[in-house]
């Protein structure tokens, strides 16, 4: 479905509101993984301001518009930071050991093998370069297709596929060499799909 399907023909404000409502939550999540949570909504507000000013460049396809906004948010974050802060903007944070992303369970409620695998994965994730973290995050957590993720990073789809393959291979290698030893369970890089 295209965002321009909101009306025939949609005026600028109606179309912008449709894009805002369709992408706001995803954009906040995207930004929260890259900056301190207290700054996420400010970055998203700045990204939507840029989107309003560049409205004529807004893609009509919903997925492409989402990726376009992710790209604007990413550039907004990078423009607001210098030196070490720039490196941290690309570092994606994953859950602390006290909280899991699904179901509101705590680590204490889970199977000890599952906890060990998640901790191994968290350790392996921290060892990845910011480039590999960003690549995996766009593909797995943000659910962007290769061409859309490539647009966010400002690279070609082929370059993105190569980065993604390298990032997956590196993460797999780091998970296999964690101190707890190799895991017999597959590492899931996309929900339900072992890599």
């Amino acid at each position: 479905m295209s965002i321009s399907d909101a009306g025939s023909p949609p005026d600028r404000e109606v179309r912008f509101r449709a894009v805002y409502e369709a992408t706001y939550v995803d954009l906040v999540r995207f930004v929260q993984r890259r900056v301190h949570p207290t700054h996420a909504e400010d970055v998203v507000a700045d990204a939507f301001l840029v989107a309003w000013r560049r409205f004529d460049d807004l893609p009509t396809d919903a997925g492409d518009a989402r990726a376009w906004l992710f790209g604007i948010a990413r550039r907004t974050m990078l423009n607001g930071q210098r030196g070490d802060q720039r490196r941290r903007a690309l570092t994606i944070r994953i859950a602390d050991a006290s909280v899991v992303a699904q179901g509101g369970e705590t680590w204490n409620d889970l199977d000890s093998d599952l906890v060990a695998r998640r901790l191994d994965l968290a350790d392996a994730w921290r060892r990845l370069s910011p480039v590999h973290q960003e690549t995996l995050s766009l593909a797995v957590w943000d659910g962007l297709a290769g061409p859309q993720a490539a647009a966010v990073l400002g690279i070609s789809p082929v370059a993105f596929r190569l980065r993604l393959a390298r990032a997956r291979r590196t993460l797999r290698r780091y998970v296999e060499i964690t101190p707890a030893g190799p895991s017999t369970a597959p590492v899931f890089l996309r929900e339900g799909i072992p890599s």
Side-chain angles (χ1 to χ4, degrees), residues 11-170:
D11 66 28
R12 179 182 174 111
E13 186 176 335
V14 170
R15 185 164 173 243
F16 185 80
R17 284 178 194 251
V19 170
Y20 179 87
E21 290 170 4
T23 59
Y24 179 80
V25 172
D26 289 339
L27 196 57
V28 169
R29 268 189 252 134
F30 172 83
V31 172
Q32 283 177 334
R33 285 193 295 273
R34 290 159 178 82
V35 300
H36 192 275
T38 60
H39 301 302
E41 290 195 9
D42 292 335
V43 171
V44 171
D46 290 343
F48 276 112
L49 179 62
V50 171
W52 176 256
R53 289 178 180 156
R54 294 184 48 211
F55 187 79
D56 294 336
D57 298 333
L58 178 68
T60 57
D61 178 74
D64 292 341
R66 183 173 170 257
W68 184 72
L69 285 165
F70 282 12
I72 290 173
R74 180 175 180 269
R75 286 185 292 279
T76 300
M77 287 182 285
L78 292 175
N79 286 340
Q81 301 170 355
R82 300 286 183 257
D84 190 49
Q85 292 175 344
R86 179 175 292 230
R87 183 187 60 76
R88 281 196 317 253
L90 295 176
T91 301
I92 294 134
R93 292 177 250 321
I94 58 178
D96 290 334
S98 61
V99 179
V100 231
Q102 299 175 354
E105 303 166 305
T106 64
W107 287 111
N108 299 331
D109 299 334
L110 299 174
D111 175 354
S112 62
D113 288 338
L114 179 59
V115 171
R117 282 192 301 246
R118 287 186 178 180
L119 289 173
D120 290 346
L121 182 58
D123 181 56
W125 182 265
R126 281 189 290 277
R127 295 173 61 196
L128 286 174
S129 71
V131 170
H132 284 158
Q133 288 180 355
E134 184 73 10
T135 302
L136 285 168
S137 174
L138 290 170
V140 178
W141 287 338
D142 298 317
L144 293 178
Q148 294 170 337
V152 170
L153 296 175
I155 60 176
S156 73
V158 171
F160 179 78
R161 283 193 305 272
L162 289 171
R163 278 189 192 180
L164 183 59
R166 287 183 190 126
R168 284 180 171 158
R169 186 173 46 244
T170 303

